[in-house]
Amino acid sequence: MPAEAKADTKNARPAPGASTPASPSTSARSTPHSITHTASPPLTERQEARRRRILHASAQLASRGGFDAVQMREVAESSQVALGTLYRYFPSKVHLLVATMQDQLERMHGTLRKRPPAGDTAAERVAETLMRAFRALQREPHLADAMVRALTFADRSVSPEVDQVSRQTTVIILDAMGLDDPTPAQLSAVRVIEHTWHSALITWLSGRASIAQVKIDIETVCHLIDLTRPDDR
C-alpha cells in the first residue's frame, strides 16, 4: 500500500452519521444480511448538504486527475468546509473516495430505475444493468480509477464505507432481478457477480481487458442467476 494511503487510513475517526458497519443508503431498499447493524443518528439537513458538497468536490477532483488529485485540503476548500470538519466526516482520503463510489453507484441506481433493463430473463437484465453502470464509469476513467484504487487500499477502518458500496451494488443487482426476498443461493450468486464486476473494473482500468472481454465475463457470470432459481432446485 502506498505511504499516502497508509497515512490516510491511520488513526481513523468516526464520521458524522456513520454506523459500524454502516447502514444502507436511505434511497436503497434494504437487503438481507445475517448481521444486525447498529443504526446511528441521521444527519441533519445542514450536515447532509455539507456531506454532499464534500462528495461532489471529491468526484470533481478525481475526474480531473485521479487518485493523486484528491487532496484533503483541496477538497475542503472546494466544498467550503474547514479541514477539521472534513476529517470529521471522512477520516482519510481512502474513506472519502470509497464513500464517493457509493454515492456514484446510488446516482447510477436512480438513473437505472428511471430506465429499467429490458432483458427477457433475470440474467440478461443484470448483465445489461452492470454493463450500463460500467459504461458510466468508463466515461469518467480518472474517477473510476481513483475509486477502485481506494477500494483496493481500504483496510479494516474503512469497512463501513466498503460495506456501503457492497450493499448498494447488491441492491442494484436485486432490482434488475426483480427480487424482494432472495434465497441464500441467489444471494451467493449475487456476491459472485459483484466480485466479477469489481475484478472486471480492475482489469479494464489496468489495460488487461477490453470492453468486449468485460462484457463476455459479465454475461457469463450472470448465468449463475439461472442456476439458482427456486423452481430449478
Side-chain angles (χ1 to χ4, degrees), residues 1-60:
M1 179 185 297
E4 181 184 5
K6 287 183 179 179
D8 274 343
T9 56
K10 188 176 181 182
N11 300 323
R13 291 165 288 178
S19 57
T20 308
S23 55
S25 164
T26 55
S27 67
R29 101 175 116 87
S30 60
T31 56
H33 289 279
S34 59
I35 299 175
T36 300
H37 302 291
T38 303
S40 61
L43 297 177
T44 65
E45 185 175 341
R46 184 176 179 181
Q47 288 173 327
E48 180 60 32
R50 184 181 297 129
R51 184 177 185 275
R52 298 226 56 83
R53 291 202 309 273
I54 292 169
L55 291 173
H56 178 74
S58 170
Q60 289 293 309

Side-chain angles (χ1 to χ4, degrees), residues 144-201:
D145 182 65
M147 295 186 300
V148 170
R149 284 179 65 183
L151 277 176
T152 304
F153 297 152
D155 60 19
R156 289 187 178 183
S157 73
V158 198
S159 291
E161 290 80 5
V162 173
D163 287 347
Q164 287 271 29
V165 169
S166 178
R167 280 195 287 275
Q168 186 66 54
T169 308
T170 297
V171 168
I172 290 172
I173 294 172
L174 291 177
D175 263 5
M177 292 171 68
L179 286 181
D180 290 310
D181 189 22
T183 66
Q186 287 169 328
L187 284 176
S188 292
V190 168
R191 283 193 294 272
V192 175
I193 292 169
E194 286 182 35
H195 296 327
T196 302
W197 186 69
H198 181 233
S199 177
L201 276 175

